[in-house]
Amino acid sequence: GRTDAGVHALGQVANFTTNKELDTVTIKNALNAYLPNDIFIKHAEDVDVSFNARFDAVSRLYVYRIAKKYSVFTRPYTWYYTHPLDVQRMNEGCSLLVGENDCTSFSIAKSRKENMVINIFRCHFTETENEIEFKIKADRFLHKSVRTMVGTLLLLGRKKLEVYDIKKIIASRDISQAGSTAPAHGLFLKEVNY
């Protein structure tokens, strides 16, 4: 699979073929011995030679973390956002994203494909004392689409947009109508399902 540069992955999946006769535990341990400290293989298994980690996925779950309080310890993994946000309004906007939508408005031009439709199964914000977390699960995503959706929904939370504007933005198929793209360091690829 793949994701935007600077995004964290808790559940990234990759596959490769080899002519070596090694068991999966040996492969996992050997890879971990050579990888940099910020990459770790949690699990390895044999799969059919036709398996493709990117194209065989049926859904992906991303999490975006927004810090309400500044911390040097969470700074690399959350976007510290200084504006107050109305989470209920943002969740109303999320409800308009659920389902099959042409998401051209949330993707940068260089990733334009013939099919820009994303089937979003669910998306919502939850809030704790220190953080607001956005979760989104869909069949696929486009380049920077999750981060641009977050940036757009934050405008809704700041009351810079109305809820009905989300449908107008989708219909426009124009990224200039959407909000700014949120920084990569707050985004995590949490899981990929097959």
Side-chain angles (χ1 to χ4, degrees):
R2 63 183 186 169
T3 192
D4 301 344
V7 172
H8 309 287
L10 300 171
Q12 182 65 281
V13 179
N15 68 283
F16 64 93
T17 57
T18 180
N19 294 327
K20 301 283 184 186
E21 303 241 351
L22 300 170
D23 63 87
T24 56
V25 173
T26 301
I27 290 172
K28 180 183 85 147
N29 292 339
L31 287 170
N32 282 330
Y34 286 99
L35 287 168
N37 290 335
D38 61 345
I39 301 175
F40 183 76
I41 308 298
K42 296 191 290 189
H43 178 75
E45 65 182 80
D46 289 316
V47 292
D48 188 84
V49 70
S50 66
F51 175 79
N52 184 295
R54 181 175 169 206
F55 297 114
D56 290 344
V58 295
S59 70
R60 294 159 178 85
L61 173 66
Y62 278 92
V63 175
Y64 197 95
R65 297 175 57 207
I66 300 161
K68 292 166 40 178
K69 297 179 180 178
Y70 183 80
S71 168
V72 294
F73 301 108
T74 62
R75 183 175 60 184
Y77 309 106
T78 60
W79 181 20
Y80 174 56
Y81 199 75
T82 58
H83 302 283
L85 294 166
D86 183 332
V87 173
Q88 181 178 337
R89 281 173 61 91
M90 295 188 306
N91 279 328
E92 289 173 23
C94 284
S95 69
L96 299 178
L97 293 173
V98 173
E100 287 192 357
N101 288 296
D102 182 314
C103 288
T104 302
S105 295
F106 301 110
S107 181
I108 63 172
K110 77 175 194 177
S111 69
R112 299 290 156 83
K113 300 174 173 31
E114 189 174 310
N115 178 11
M116 298 295 284
V117 173
I118 298 175
N119 186 8
I120 298 174
F121 305 124
R122 69 175 195 254
C123 73
H124 66 279
F125 287 89
T126 55
E127 184 174 19
T128 64
E129 181 182 345
N130 298 321
E131 195 171 281
I132 296 172
E133 187 177 82
F134 173 70
K135 287 186 180 176
I136 185 165
K137 184 174 185 177
D139 62 345
R140 64 194 283 252
F141 291 96
L142 304 167
H143 192 209
K144 299 189 180 182
S145 60
V146 175
R147 293 164 49 209
T148 306
M149 287 177 193
V150 168
T152 304
L153 292 165
L154 292 187
L155 289 177
L156 188 60
R158 288 179 60 194
K159 301 181 179 167
K160 301 274 185 182
L161 292 176
E162 296 300 326
V163 174
Y164 59 80
D165 289 327
I166 299 299
K167 280 294 185 192
K168 288 181 180 178
I169 292 167
I170 293 168
S172 75
R173 297 182 182 175
D174 178 2
I175 194 167
S176 72
Q177 301 300 306
S180 299
T181 301
H185 67 272
L187 185 59
F188 294 76
L189 173 60
K190 185 157 185 181
E191 66 184 43
V192 183
N193 297 297
Y194 295 92

